Amino acid sequence: MFDYGVVVFANYSAAEKKEAIAFVKNYASTIVDLDLLEEYRIEIDSNIPKVIIKNDYVTVPYVDPSVLKIVMLNIAQSVALDYYEALTDDLITSSKKYIQELEHRGKLSISKKNLLKYIGKVLNVKNSIVDNLYILDDPNLVWDNEELHLLNRHLKANFDINPRFKDLDYRLDIVEDNLRLFTDVLNVRESSRLEWIVIILIFLEIMIALLFH
């Protein structure tokens, strides 16, 4: 099990996996209501000189705990990216709704409180990615082992780990840019409202002065 909540199994039956997940859920602080799954096969062929990476399996000359860990790490990162991609898609969909409202109505109907909640959600997703996914850094395990380094590099390429991470970061930047725009629009709205309040107060003050003069 990885820090970001992904559980990876090797040679577990369906019943064993179900039992293990049920056990882990008892201690989980947040349950993700998404069916995220990645299956990847490891084949062993002692006659090959180096690893062979395919879309749905990898062939290695031998398997030891280090090889397993590298394969499981990349699977876990791929599933975690699936999760954050789904969250980002939801954020972008919400953002598009407000942009279309600006385009067609020339104003935003969202309240300042709900906008702040939305900002908090975006920042929470981005901070969670930064805190949990060390995708751009190679694990310490591969530093002094050329075979593991190559295995890790090829698996990252196979799962498109780095491009997906960069695309995710780019899309979150777009959402943040939209948030800055929404905040500016709301600030203008609040400023305009305050100006009208000041004008009304001045008007009332003048009327009271005239009535009681």
Side-chain angles (χ1 to χ4, degrees):
M1 182 172 178
F2 292 84
D3 292 342
Y4 35 89
V6 178
V7 182
V8 184
F9 299 96
N11 288 332
Y12 273 62
S13 67
E16 289 171 331
K17 286 188 283 188
K18 185 176 180 180
E19 182 181 353
I21 290 173
F23 175 78
V24 169
K25 281 184 176 180
N26 292 327
Y27 301 93
S29 57
T30 304
I31 303 297
V32 175
D33 190 23
L34 289 172
D35 187 19
L36 300 173
L37 177 68
E38 187 95 48
E39 291 189 2
Y40 201 69
R41 194 168 72 253
I42 300 177
E43 296 183 351
I44 305 171
D45 184 350
S46 58
N47 296 317
I48 61 172
K50 59 181 181 179
V51 299
I52 300 173
I53 307 288
K54 298 295 182 181
N55 286 336
D56 56 352
Y57 71 93
V58 57
T59 305
V60 293
Y62 65 91
V63 169
D64 64 10
S66 296
V67 170
L68 270 179
K69 188 171 182 178
I70 293 301
V71 175
M72 295 169 85
L73 170 65
N74 281 275
I75 293 172
Q77 288 180 340
S78 181
V79 171
L81 281 171
D82 286 339
Y83 170 65
Y84 287 116
E85 284 165 352
L87 290 184
T88 305
D89 286 342
D90 288 342
L91 292 173
I92 288 177
T93 299
S94 299
S95 181
K96 282 181 179 178
K97 181 180 70 175
Y98 299 131
I99 290 172
Q100 288 171 351
E101 186 178 17
L102 270 177
E103 179 184 359
H104 297 300
R105 300 180 59 196
K107 62 180 182 179
L108 284 174
S109 60
I110 187 173
S111 67
K112 192 168 186 178
K113 181 179 180 180
N114 286 336
L115 178 61
L116 289 174
K117 286 183 178 180
Y118 184 62
I119 291 172
K121 186 175 182 180
V122 173
L123 294 178
N124 187 46
V125 170
K126 192 150 192 176
N127 289 341
S128 181
I129 292 171
V130 172
D131 290 342
N132 293 322
L133 295 185
Y134 314 103
I135 285 173
L136 299 182
D137 297 327
D138 288 330
N140 297 343
L141 194 63
V142 308
W143 287 359
D144 298 321
N145 189 312
E146 183 64 24
E147 289 182 354
L148 290 179
H149 175 74
L150 288 174
L151 175 62
N152 182 60
R153 190 178 70 186
H154 289 316
L155 286 170
K156 279 185 182 293
N158 181 69
F159 288 110
D160 292 327
I161 298 293
N162 288 357
R164 288 167 63 195
F165 179 81
K166 291 177 181 177
D167 179 65
L168 187 63
D169 192 52
Y170 171 73
R171 290 194 291 162
L172 283 172
D173 284 341
I174 291 176
V175 174
E176 286 187 331
D177 288 341
N178 291 336
L179 285 178
R180 278 189 282 271
L181 171 64
F182 299 155
T183 303
D184 289 343
V185 170
L186 280 187
N187 286 338
V188 170
R189 188 174 74 184
E190 290 293 321
S191 177
S192 177
R193 183 179 299 167
L194 287 174
E195 287 175 2
W196 275 106
I197 291 173
V198 170
I199 291 170
I200 292 170
L201 288 174
I202 293 173
F203 174 76
L204 290 174
E205 185 178 354
I206 293 172
M207 292 300 296
I208 291 171
L210 290 173
L211 287 172
F212 293 96
H213 185 66

